[in-house]
C-alpha cells in the first residue's frame, strides 16, 4: 500500500524528495531516475491543459489524470487536491475520489476556492476553524487510506507567526504532515522546522519565493518531504520550443538528434515490449 510506504519513509527520518509530474510519462521518468516518490502537481496538470494554476479544472479532470499517473508507477504519488474543491463535504467526497485513483497522499490548502498558485500574489485564506473542520471531514472519510497533508498559505497573508499557529491547529485536527508554503527566508525555514510539531513538507524550486536550501541541511533540520513541482514541465516546454524552432527553420529536427531519446529508448521507457508480450500471451 503506497500510503503505508510513504508513512514509513517519513517515519525513518530520511528526507523524501519528490519531483513534480503531470502525466504518466513524466511520473515514470521520475521513478526510473531513482526517486522514491513523485509529486502530482495540480499546477502542472492545469498548465498541461493550457490553463493557469487558478483552480480552473474540475475535480473529475484532476482525478482522471491522477489515476493515470498512479497507474504508471509503483512509487508513492503525492497528489495536489487544491482546497478540496469546495467546502468540507466537497473535500470529503474529493478525497475518496483521490483514494480510488491510487495516490498515496493528498494535500489540501487553506486558501479560498478557487485557489491560486502558492507563489502568486494576492492570495486569500479561510479561517483556521473552517480549514480544521475540512481536515477532520477528510480524515473521517479516508481514514488511513491516504497520508493527509495540510498546506497553509498564511505566511503571505497573515504572517509567519500566524502560519505557525495554523500549522499546530491543522496537526491537531488530523493532518499527518504540514505543508508550510512559501517561507521567504532560510531563517523562516529553520524556525518552522523547529516550531511545528509534525513532519514538514516544503515546496522548493529555483525562481520561487522560498530560497533553495541544500537537501543535507533540510534533512538535518528534520524536514520530511521536499517537492519540486514544475521543473520537469518547464524543461519540457523549453525542449519543445527548441525542437519546434528547428523544424520551422530546417524542415526537420535533425540538428537536435543528440538531445532527443531514440525511438527505441522511448518505447523501452513506456514498456512496449511488456505489453506486446502480454498481447501474445492472451491473444485469441
Amino acid at each position: 500500500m503506497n500510503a503505508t510506504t510513504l508513512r514509513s519513509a517519513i517515519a525513518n527520518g530520511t528526507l523524501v524528495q519528490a519531483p513534480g509530474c503531470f502525466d504518466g510519462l513524466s511520473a515514470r521518468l521520475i521513478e526510473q531516475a531513482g526517486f522514491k516518490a513523485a509529486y502530482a502537481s495540480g499546477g502542472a496538470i492545469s498548465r498541461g491543459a493550457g490553463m493557469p494554476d487558478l483552480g480552473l479544472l474540475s475535480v473529475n479532470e484532476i482525478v482522471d489524470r491522477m489515476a493515470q499517473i498512479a497507474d504508471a508507477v509503483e512509487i508513492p504519488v503525492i497528489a495536489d487536491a487544491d482546497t478540496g474543491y469546495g467546502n468540507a463535504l466537497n473535500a470529503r467526497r474529493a478525497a475518496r475520489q483521490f483514494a480510488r485513483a491510487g495516490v498515496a497522499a493528498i494535500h489540501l490548502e487553506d486558501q479560498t476556492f478557487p485557489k491560486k498558485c502558492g507563489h502568486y500574489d494576492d492570495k486569500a485564506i479561510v479561517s483556521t476553524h473552517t480549514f480544521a473542520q475540512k481536515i477532520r471531514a477528510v480524515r473521517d472519510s479516508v481514514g488511513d487510506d491516504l497520508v493527509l497533508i495540510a498546506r497553509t498559505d498564511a505566511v503571505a497573508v497573515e504572517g509567519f507567526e500566524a502560519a505557525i499557529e495554523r500549522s499546530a491547529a491543522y496537526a491537531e485536527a488530523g493532518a499527518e504532515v504540514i505543508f508550510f508554503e512559501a517561507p521567504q527566508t532560510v531563517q523562516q525555514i529553520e524556525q518552522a522546522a523547529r516550531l511545528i510539531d509534525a513532519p514538514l513538507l516544503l515546496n522548493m524550486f529555483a525562481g520561487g519565493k522560498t530560497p533553495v536550501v541544500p537537501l543535507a541541511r533540510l534533512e538535518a533540520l528534520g524536514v520530511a518531504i521536499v517537492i519540486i513541482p514544475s521543473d520537469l514541465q518547464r524543461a519540457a516546454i523549453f525542449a519543445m520550443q527548441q525542437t519546434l524552432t528547428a523544424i520551422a527553420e530546417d524542415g526537420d529536427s535533425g540538428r537536435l538528434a543528440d538531445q532527443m531519446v531514440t525511438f527505441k529508448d522511448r518505447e523501452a521507457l513506456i514498456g512496449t515490449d511488456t505489453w506486446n508480450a502480454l498481447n501474445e500471451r492472451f491473444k485469441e
Side-chain angles (χ1 to χ4, degrees):
M1 181 177 183
N2 275 335
T4 301
T5 301
L6 184 60
R7 284 193 183 97
S8 296
I10 293 169
N12 72 22
T14 301
L15 186 146
V16 175
Q17 190 181 28
C21 60
F22 48 95
D23 58 15
L25 179 60
S26 53
R28 187 162 290 182
L29 286 167
I30 291 168
E31 181 176 55
Q32 292 191 1
F35 291 94
K36 303 303 182 184
Y39 174 61
S41 165
I45 290 170
S46 292
R47 296 179 193 106
M51 302 279 188
D53 186 14
L54 294 172
L56 298 173
L57 298 188
S58 70
V59 61
N60 289 338
E61 289 174 295
I62 295 291
V63 168
D64 285 348
R65 180 57 60 86
M66 293 296 178
Q68 293 171 1
I69 291 168
D71 190 53
V73 294
E74 298 297 325
I75 57 175
V77 175
I78 301 167
D80 181 355
D82 285 347
T83 65
Y85 307 94
N87 64 18
L89 297 184
N90 299 124
R92 179 185 174 94
R93 184 168 183 266
R96 292 305 308 158
Q97 291 178 263
F98 275 82
R100 288 192 295 271
V103 302
I106 61 169
H107 72 73
L108 298 169
E109 60 201 68
D110 57 5
Q111 286 194 51
T112 55
F113 177 79
K115 53 74 57 88
K116 292 183 177 181
C117 168
H119 290 249
Y120 287 174
D121 293 325
D122 300 322
K123 297 181 291 185
I125 55 179
V126 300
S127 73
T128 301
H129 175 74
T130 294
F131 191 64
Q133 287 292 83
K134 186 176 289 188
I135 293 169
R136 292 186 179 99
V138 169
R139 172 57 69 209
D140 179 70
S141 175
V142 300
D144 292 332
D145 291 348
L146 294 172
V147 176
L148 180 54
I149 302 168
R151 167 177 147 178
T152 180
D153 286 73
V155 171
V157 182
E158 296 178 341
F160 179 80
E161 292 183 3
I164 295 294
E165 292 174 0
R166 281 175 173 263
S167 297
Y170 300 163
E172 190 278 331
E176 298 175 66
V177 177
I178 298 298
F179 180 169
F180 201 74
E181 176 67 310
Q184 297 182 14
T185 65
V186 174
Q187 182 182 23
Q188 286 186 347
I189 293 171
E190 293 172 345
Q191 289 180 313
R194 186 177 71 252
L195 295 173
I196 295 173
D197 188 21
L200 189 65
L201 183 153
L202 293 175
N203 174 9
M204 196 161 287
F205 60 94
K209 292 188 175 182
T210 300
V212 176
V213 179
L215 292 182
R217 175 59 178 150
L218 295 174
E219 191 168 63
L221 289 170
V223 174
I225 303 170
V226 171
I227 60 172
I228 310 95
S230 62
D231 283 15
L232 285 186
Q233 188 173 57
R234 289 163 65 190
I237 290 168
F238 180 77
M240 287 189 283
Q241 288 173 329
Q242 296 296 103
T243 304
L244 289 166
T245 296
I247 292 171
E249 292 177 353
D250 304 342
D252 59 60
S253 61
R255 66 166 122 141
L256 299 176
D258 62 346
Q259 299 178 39
M260 301 167 67
V261 298
T262 66
F263 183 93
K264 181 179 179 180
D265 288 344
R266 184 193 65 190
E267 297 307 301
L269 169 64
I270 60 175
T272 300
D273 285 348
T274 300
W275 284 98
N276 284 336
L278 286 170
N279 186 50
E280 286 298 312
R281 179 181 174 188
F282 298 115
K283 68 180 180 181
E284 297 179 2

